[in-house]
Amino acid sequence: MSYEMVIGLEVHVQLKTQTKIFSNSATLYGQEPNTQVSFLDIALPGTLPVVNRNAINMAVMFGLAVDATISKNSFFARKNYFYPDLSKGYQISQSNNPIVQNGQLEITTSKGVKAIRIERAHLEEDAGKSVHDFIGDQTGLDYNRAGTPLLEIVTHPDFRSAEEVICYLKNLHQLVQHLGICDGNMQEGSFRCDVNLSIRKPGEDLGTRAELKNINSFRFIESAIHYEYQRQVNVLDKGGIITQETRLYDPDNNETRSMRSKENAFDYRYFPDPDLLPMILSDDEIISIKSQMPQLPKVRREIYTKALNADEVNFLMDNPTVADYYDVLAKSIPAKTAYNWVAVELQAVFNRAQSIFDAKRVPVDILLELIAYVDKDEISLKSAKAVLQHYYDQPQAIQSIVDQLGVRQSNDLGFVESLVDEILAQNPQQVQDYRAGNKKLLSFFVGQIMKNSKGKANPKQVNEILNKKLNE
Amino acid sequence: MSILKTLRQKLDDKSISAAELTTTYLKEIKDKNNLLNAFISVNETEALAHAKEMDDLIAKGERTLLAGIPIAHKDNLCTDILTTTCGSKILSDYQSPFNATVVDKLKNQGMTVLGKTNMDEFGMGSTNEHSFFGAVKNPHDLNHVPGGSSGGSAAAVAAGLTPFATGSDTGGSVRQPASYCGITGIKPSYGTLSRCGLVAYGSSFDQVGVLAHYAEDCAYLLQAMAGKDNNDGTSIKTDPDFFTQSLHQDVTGLTIGIDEQLLSKLPSVAQALLQDCIDVYQQQGVKIKPIQLPDLQPAVSSYYVLAPAEAATNLARFDGVRYGYRSQTANTLDELYINSRTEGFGAEVKRRIVMGNYVLAASQYDAYYHKAQQVRAKLKQDLDAIYQNVDMILLPTAATTAPKLGAQKDPVSTYLSDMYTLIANLTGAPAISFPIGRIERLPFGAQLMTNNFQDHLLLQTVCAFQRETDFHLPQQLLQGVGA
């Protein structure tokens, strides 16, 4: 009796180019309406699109990252429909022969590893924004977004659970940020997911799907999927049929609702755009793009896994900015040490300040200098943490912070020896007890010595000399 | 001496000033435009001021070819002065914030804009009777059409209201009116002139062209407008003398192909004129060879599938939302679109939009659009084979002289009359029409075509013809009529 859920995803990724895909307007978010708009973006008569090569390169890079086939001869097509935020009355998109085809992205869920097939990824331009009830009952149109490059990534209907969907989306979200082709900001619409959900009894043909649009958080997507699945089950159980339609998710009421659709099974009358020549890519060009690709997440993960434990790997993978910093640091010092300094100590400084991790606040070479002080036994590890915090609060040369805080260790063996002698002399009973077997007293001696030295003694030396003298 | 050369000489030796020159033309326009309706808007305020600036430059020693020379632009070329109406109600008040690239190029070389010329709406038509601003008349006989869609430009040049004019040619719209009005008109190879700022009709067919009396002047103006434009992805780089490189060379040894069968279908008077033209060329040492063009009816069908398809989408932007005509009777979004476009577009434009959307429908795509593309490709192949044996092809521009106003019967027979000109648009090739005589007082033109990017051959060959004949010389038209 149990229905299987079948899901395919269409993700629109806004590409992080400086200018739009067909015009040279800027692509910044949140600007005053209609201030990032060229004559082409509002479709003035006589304007022509000219392709932004960077958008093509980013699409190719994505294709390479998902082991897809790159079309060496793809072209743009006009997708025709009327809507006020679509200024030309057609969207320049791709239909047949998209630039990226037949890739895959692996996901790891509680059930194991699965490869999700990516049917295609194609380039297209974004539309403007309609602001309803802008003045009275009139709708305002902002064309700033019109013409921003999008990469539409379409999967086969390979998903069978919400968990799989979320896992894929997180991986994809991470991937496009790692590649540097998208800023991943879902609140600003840089990463938009449409969910196509249908249900069927196992073994049957695909059911009619509902399209869930405009859900801008992974949490809401998960809830929407659960709700929609149940809704469709209820419909079929009552003997009804599912209509193919677009639905919106209402997070306040946790339900999906049918949208008054602007196109019903519409014929877009696709044909090749005559203003844009085919995108011809040579093998050399593709190789060149490949060589400029940043490291792929799966490669990065493999490298981390060699030196760090699973939790540490996950932390870095989930925090790309921290990981970038770690990568630089780990070139000069051992992985574990680098991890500790970046992901524990430095991260703690930012956490205390309730601020995001910002590499510029504590440059890598400053941290390396501090770490060198510790390595050379000039300050203790404990003192180093204080120096780090002090640097964050008041950036200045490490040397001067060390002096200011007065934490420079003395590495004078004689000094340490005299301290040890002093404490041992002052506590003859404890010495006897220690020699009799109470090894716990060691920390008592160390504590006393460190206190007397006012933190200047080198703890390693203290331990060494103390042990020597106690075991004489 | 060509008109451009004559005007240049007079300006440089100060026998006339640019201001006087412009004033003269503005007066001709004022006196005669009401008879012809060739101009939609006239640049009365700015033209004179501009001409005076040019006089200052010339006085300082500026010796560029075009400084102070007037020109008129077809009203589908964007200009940041006056309006750019495309002959349509839907843009009747539209003022473009930018100049078309070719307009800018001519402006930067010192040309004075006299005004914007009348045209069939959005370039769709062959008689200039489909303009929101009324029909244009042929200056050779006011009861006859000037041809279209660049009818205003052709009539203006023929009647002496402007020495030169730009036009646009999608299926013959520069060459056919040139033929009907007894002047020279050329469509260059696709890609040689930028389309940025040319309001699009059939994007893969459109090219800016020139109308003038002398082929030589066409060459210089084309050269002044040529060049790769980063704002047009379909424009290409050409050498600085791409059009003018062989302008004055003699034509001995060149070969021209003639399709006897095609010619035999024409009225005998037209055949006689073409034969005279061939005789002139043979005397100049040109070799005439028989060729066979493919059946042209499929080419007409192909054009009338593909161009309207492109046009239907190119015209989708005219919706009353951001600029242009917006209906006052709309209460819903759908009504805004439907009413604005129904009220704003003329009948022929609507016809082609409907045709275009029909052939692009998913269910019809293979039968029409896809097939038409195949016919288009085949035509190019057939012509490539012909050009293995000849340098150029000679054929009529149109089968007849200018028809009477109101004579157009049904759209399909009108479409078929484009048969000889749309070949060049389907293949992206250059083609030129030049006057070779008259039939019952109305001008008749011949057309020379050649393979893509061999434009200079056409200009050279027509220049040679015009050295030996008088048909192209400007005539005093509209004598004793009006003003």
Side-chain angles (χ1 to χ4, degrees), chain A residues 39 42-50 78 80 82-84 87-90 141 143 267 269-272 274-275 277, chain B residues 78 94 97-98 195-198 203 230-234 313-314 316-317 321-323 333 337 357 360-362 365 369:
Chain A
F39 298 147
I42 49 170
L44 289 190
T47 50
L48 294 172
V50 179
R78 293 187 182 176
N80 300 283
F82 283 97
Y83 202 66
S87 50
K88 293 187 295 300
Y90 60 86
L141 292 165
Y143 292 99
D267 179 2
R269 304 190 303 282
Y270 284 102
F271 74 103
D275 290 328
L277 299 178
Chain B
C78 290
Y94 178 71
F98 69 99
R195 289 185 301 115
C196 178
L198 172 66
S203 312
N230 289 331
N231 292 322
D232 175 358
T234 60
T313 63
N314 284 329
R317 67 191 61 197
V321 174
R322 289 165 309 287
Y323 53 82
L333 181 63
Y337 286 137
N357 282 327
L360 287 177
Y365 188 91
Y369 190 89

Side-chain angles (χ1 to χ4, degrees), chain B residues 103-178:
Chain B
V103 168
D104 254 347
K105 281 185 187 263
L106 295 181
K107 178 182 173 187
N108 292 339
Q109 291 169 76
M111 293 197 95
T112 302
V113 177
L114 293 172
K116 307 295 289 297
T117 58
N118 204 345
M119 55 182 284
D120 280 306
E121 192 179 352
F122 287 109
M124 301 180 194
S126 324
T127 59
N128 219 136
E129 290 171 298
H130 295 297
S131 167
F132 173 65
F133 297 92
V136 176
K137 317 287 173 49
N138 191 321
H140 291 272
D141 185 331
L142 298 174
N143 295 315
H144 289 251
V145 303
S149 62
S150 313
S153 285
V157 170
L161 270 51
T162 178
F164 322 102
T166 52
S168 70
D169 191 312
T170 304
S173 293
V174 162
R175 293 162 283 154
Q176 185 249 46

Side-chain angles (χ1 to χ4, degrees), chain B residues 196-422:
Chain B
C196 178
L198 172 66
V199 181
Y201 154 22
S203 312
S204 70
F205 300 92
D206 295 337
Q207 267 295 276
V208 172
V210 175
L211 295 115
H213 292 279
Y214 287 75
E216 185 184 341
D217 293 345
C218 289
Y220 292 127
L221 286 166
L222 284 174
Q223 198 61 67
M225 290 189 283
K228 182 168 168 62
D229 183 9
N230 289 331
N231 292 322
D232 175 358
T234 60
S235 80
I236 56 153
K237 188 165 181 290
T238 51
D239 286 337
D241 64 352
F242 178 83
F243 292 105
T244 55
Q245 56 183 277
S246 62
L247 208 46
H248 302 293
Q249 284 177 28
D250 75 58
V251 290
T252 318
L254 290 177
T255 50
I256 293 180
I258 311 276
D259 186 333
E260 297 286 353
Q261 211 177 15
L262 186 155
L263 259 52
S264 67
K265 297 206 185 103
L266 297 169
S268 48
V269 279
Q271 288 189 49
L273 287 179
L274 282 162
Q275 190 53 54
D276 290 345
C277 174
I278 291 166
D279 290 343
V280 170
Y281 275 127
Q282 282 181 306
Q283 275 158 38
Q284 291 183 314
V286 172
K287 283 218 188 44
I288 306 294
K289 276 191 181 176
I291 56 146
Q292 191 166 38
L293 285 168
D295 180 8
L296 294 177
Q297 281 214 267
V300 179
S301 303
S302 168
Y303 174 85
Y304 278 103
V305 164
L306 298 172
E310 292 178 359
T313 63
N314 284 329
L315 267 55
R317 67 191 61 197
F318 302 113
D319 54 14
V321 174
R322 289 165 309 287
Y323 53 82
Y325 177 81
R326 182 193 277 205
S327 170
Q328 297 303 302
T329 64
N331 293 314
T332 66
L333 181 63
D334 277 358
E335 282 177 16
L336 180 71
Y337 286 137
I338 294 170
N339 295 2
S340 299
R341 290 163 67 81
T342 304
E343 293 161 23
F345 285 137
E348 183 60 34
V349 168
K350 288 182 199 162
R351 181 176 294 125
R352 296 199 196 187
I353 290 175
V354 171
M355 278 165 61
N357 282 327
Y358 179 76
V359 302
L360 287 177
S363 56
Q364 308 302 326
Y365 188 91
D366 281 339
Y368 291 101
Y369 190 89
H370 187 59
K371 260 279 175 329
Q373 288 282 49
Q374 291 175 315
V375 167
R376 186 176 195 177
K378 178 79 170 57
L379 179 65
K380 178 81 171 70
Q381 275 173 27
D382 289 344
L383 286 176
D384 282 343
I386 292 173
Y387 289 124
Q388 297 289 316
N389 299 317
V390 297
D391 293 310
M392 291 167 277
I393 298 171
L394 181 74
L395 70 169
T397 306
T400 63
T401 55
K404 277 198 154 137
L405 285 158
Q408 178 187 341
K409 299 174 291 293
D410 62 292
V412 177
S413 35
T414 311
Y415 296 163
L416 284 167
S417 68
D418 290 336
M419 190 180 303
Y420 306 127
T421 48
L422 44 79

